[in-house]
Amino acid sequence: MVIILENIEEIYNKISVIIPAYNASQFIEATLDSVIGQTHPIDEVLIIDDCSTDNTVEIVNKYRGRYKNIQLIQQPMNQGGSAARNLGLKIARNEWILFMDADDVAHPTLLEKEVNLLSEINENQADIILVHPAYIQIDENGAEIPGSEMRGKQLEAHEIFGTLLFRNHIITPSGLLLKREKALEVGGFQKFQIVEDYDFVLRMSRQGYFAYVDEPLIYLRRHGANLTKDISKARDAEKAIVEQYGIDTIKKAIFARNLPYAQNLIDFVNMLFRYEQWEEGFNQLKASEVVDVEKENIQISVTFLYGIYYLHKQSYTEALNFFHDIIEKKPSHGAALNNISVLYILEKKNIEKSMQLLKKAIEIYPGYMDAMHNLQLIEENRVNYDENHPTQNDFRFTWRELRPQLLRYS
């Protein structure tokens, strides 16, 4: 199916923006200003208020008095962001929807560049159901957090689901330009309270093609009220989402990616470990030729998998040996530094060396939650460590290699 250019321009000039809001008075003005200031026309802005108890509604009403395309819809009871987005999807009058969260900010050219990308690949237009950009993280005051830029990559249609399963690079609904019909077909946003957006993009990825704008056009605000600041709950929720699909589906999706066999295998073993199928993952690793590959990054990933396998088995001497092997090859490997530091405490009680390693990991990866937690735990108990030292369950091991840039939670 080919859509002629005139129809494309007509469709893209009719875009609805959906913004769920709950007690968003601190940031919603910046969000609305960024939406109103888009260089591409917007037909309507739907703000779904989820029973805010602050002055969010008052602020929105001021904007409504100045901009006729802004609508305020108030939910009768507090139902959460998923219900707010779903209501917006239901009542929006246009085929294409732009999502924004009420604390994030869009670059003025966000929509223009997303629409231009769609127009450039006009002949494949019927297959594209979602466009997403790269991101920059900002603090409560709107200042960019140094080194916080997060990028994805353009993928083939058959790669998207497996790539997102292994590691999600679409980290917020803000900036998603998508087909309303497809979003409704997959059931909108569903039951997962913490990472419902991850569940949503996974289901969307099985319905059509995603396009990617490789520019950081969304400013993702990190602050104390971010729902996903509880990283352990977010990890548990993400695991529950992935577990819906089953190992066979996951394996097929992982190996469908256009990556070397060794990389796909490593990532599949990672998934097996996340499923608590430790022995199966370990046997796949041992039986594979992946251990013989020459690329250093593959060798390091294999070594890390062996390390976390022995961590799980509580064979700490073996685990420590593998993590030390990683540091010899790559001294900046954050997850290995963190894990070694915890093992030094548990096995050797080498407090000074442990703190040194943790500080190094945090210097390399600012915002590294596991390392910051462990360092704080040691510092708080350092004076009376022999009498009242933390236990294994108090510390946090890192079970996956780190992204190049980490998400910030405050």
Side-chain angles (χ1 to χ4, degrees):
M1 177 179 179
V2 177
I3 301 176
I4 61 174
L5 187 58
E6 289 80 6
N7 287 342
I8 287 178
E9 291 176 347
E10 181 180 349
I11 289 170
Y12 295 157
N13 284 332
K14 297 290 185 179
I15 290 174
S16 298
V17 181
I18 296 174
I19 306 174
Y22 174 70
N23 289 348
S25 61
Q26 185 178 358
F27 304 118
I28 195 168
E29 290 185 72
T31 303
L32 288 173
D33 287 342
S34 76
V35 169
I36 293 163
Q38 289 295 300
T39 57
H40 186 85
I42 290 171
D43 182 52
E44 64 174 354
V45 180
L46 304 176
I47 301 164
I48 317 297
D49 180 70
D50 195 29
C51 294
S52 295
T53 57
D54 63 1
N55 63 331
T56 296
V57 170
E58 179 183 343
I59 293 170
V60 173
N61 280 331
K62 288 180 181 178
Y63 277 81
R64 289 175 64 205
R66 291 154 50 196
Y67 303 99
K68 301 305 180 186
N69 65 340
I70 293 180
Q71 298 183 50
L72 173 65
I73 298 93
Q74 294 180 272
Q75 299 206 102
M77 64 180 68
N78 182 269
Q79 300 176 64
S82 292
R85 291 188 189 95
N86 289 341
L87 177 58
L89 283 170
K90 187 179 296 185
I91 65 178
R93 64 191 180 205
N94 295 308
E95 178 181 353
W96 284 90
I97 305 294
L98 176 71
F99 279 123
M100 286 294 299
D101 282 349
D103 51 359
D104 295 336
V105 175
H107 188 277
T109 63
L110 168 71
L111 259 182
E112 178 186 344
K113 289 180 178 178
E114 289 184 327
V115 168
N116 284 346
L117 179 61
L118 290 174
S119 299
E120 287 171 10
I121 45 181
N122 175 33
E123 67 270 14
N124 295 321
Q125 185 59 44
D127 297 325
I128 298 175
I129 63 170
L130 184 148
V131 188
H132 63 100
Y135 316 96
I136 289 179
Q137 298 175 76
I138 59 176
D139 64 18
E140 291 191 2
N141 300 315
E144 293 184 17
I145 300 173
S148 69
E149 186 176 297
M150 303 195 73
R151 292 183 181 264
K153 62 179 179 179
Q154 184 62 62
L155 300 166
E156 299 294 330
H158 63 273
E159 296 183 281
I160 298 170
F161 179 58
T163 300
L164 292 173
L165 274 174
F166 178 68
R167 176 156 273 166
N168 181 27
H169 58 268
I170 303 176
I171 56 177
T172 174
S174 292
L176 295 187
L177 179 63
L178 52 86
K179 278 189 174 180
R180 174 176 175 268
E181 177 186 7
K182 287 297 183 180
L184 291 172
E185 282 181 12
V186 302
F189 292 79
Q190 296 187 357
K191 61 183 178 179
F192 297 97
Q193 182 182 4
I194 296 180
V195 286
E196 70 273 11
D197 49 311
Y198 178 45
D199 173 57
F200 174 73
V201 296
L202 276 175
R203 284 183 282 112
M204 287 286 285
S205 73
R206 306 184 84 184
Q207 302 300 313
Y209 185 70
F210 288 11
Y212 170 63
V213 180
D214 192 26
E215 292 184 55
L217 301 174
I218 285 291
Y219 299 92
L220 178 64
R221 195 183 302 272
R222 313 312 295 172
H223 54 86
N226 285 135
L227 185 59
T228 50
K229 66 179 179 178
D230 190 331
I231 189 66
S232 61
K233 289 182 180 179
R235 285 170 177 165
D236 289 343
E238 181 180 305
K239 184 176 176 229
I241 288 168
V242 171
E243 284 178 346
Q244 297 177 100
Y245 297 101
I247 286 295
D248 290 342
T249 298
I250 289 172
K251 182 176 183 179
K252 182 177 179 181
I254 292 290
F255 279 91
R257 302 175 307 167
N258 298 336
L259 293 174
Y261 172 82
Q263 186 63 61
N264 283 331
L265 178 65
I266 287 169
D267 292 348
F268 179 57
V269 171
N270 256 298
M271 300 297 288
L272 287 171
F273 285 176
R274 287 166 67 186
Y275 262 86
E276 306 295 332
Q277 296 192 23
W278 292 93
E279 298 307 319
E280 173 64 19
F282 182 71
N283 290 334
Q284 292 238 3
L285 207 56
K286 284 180 63 178
S288 172
E289 62 190 37
V290 70
V291 296
D292 298 323
V293 298
E294 295 182 357
K295 288 187 177 180
E296 185 174 85
N297 65 313
I298 298 293
Q299 291 179 343
I300 287 172
S301 293
V302 170
T303 305
F304 184 77
L305 288 173
Y306 278 119
I308 63 171
Y309 171 80
Y310 284 109
L311 270 188
H312 168 73
K313 302 289 284 185
Q314 296 188 8
S315 300
Y316 292 153
T317 300
E318 289 88 344
L320 195 56
N321 289 336
F322 281 109
F323 293 133
H324 274 307
D325 285 347
I326 293 172
I327 296 303
E328 287 180 7
K329 295 184 177 72
K330 186 178 180 181
S332 63
H333 195 284
L337 289 169
N338 177 74
N339 292 347
I340 290 171
S341 73
V342 176
L343 289 171
Y344 275 173
I345 292 292
L346 297 179
E347 290 291 278
K348 301 181 179 181
K349 295 186 173 56
N350 190 331
I351 299 174
E352 298 302 325
K353 183 63 174 178
S354 180
M355 293 178 67
Q356 178 185 342
L357 293 172
L358 289 170
K359 289 176 181 178
K360 180 178 179 180
I362 294 167
E363 181 182 358
I364 298 168
Y365 292 94
Y368 184 3
M369 297 290 284
D370 290 345
M372 291 192 297
H373 168 86
N374 293 333
L375 182 60
Q376 181 180 357
L377 197 61
I378 295 171
E379 289 177 337
E380 288 176 350
N381 293 275
R382 187 178 180 188
V383 175
N384 297 313
Y385 203 86
D386 289 336
E387 293 79 18
N388 185 33
H389 63 81
T391 66
Q392 171 190 328
N393 292 333
D394 296 317
F395 288 103
R396 291 181 185 171
F397 288 114
T398 299
W399 298 93
R400 298 173 69 185
E401 293 184 277
L402 302 180
R403 302 173 188 257
Q405 288 81 33
L406 302 183
L407 277 172
R408 308 297 177 88
Y409 292 93
S410 64

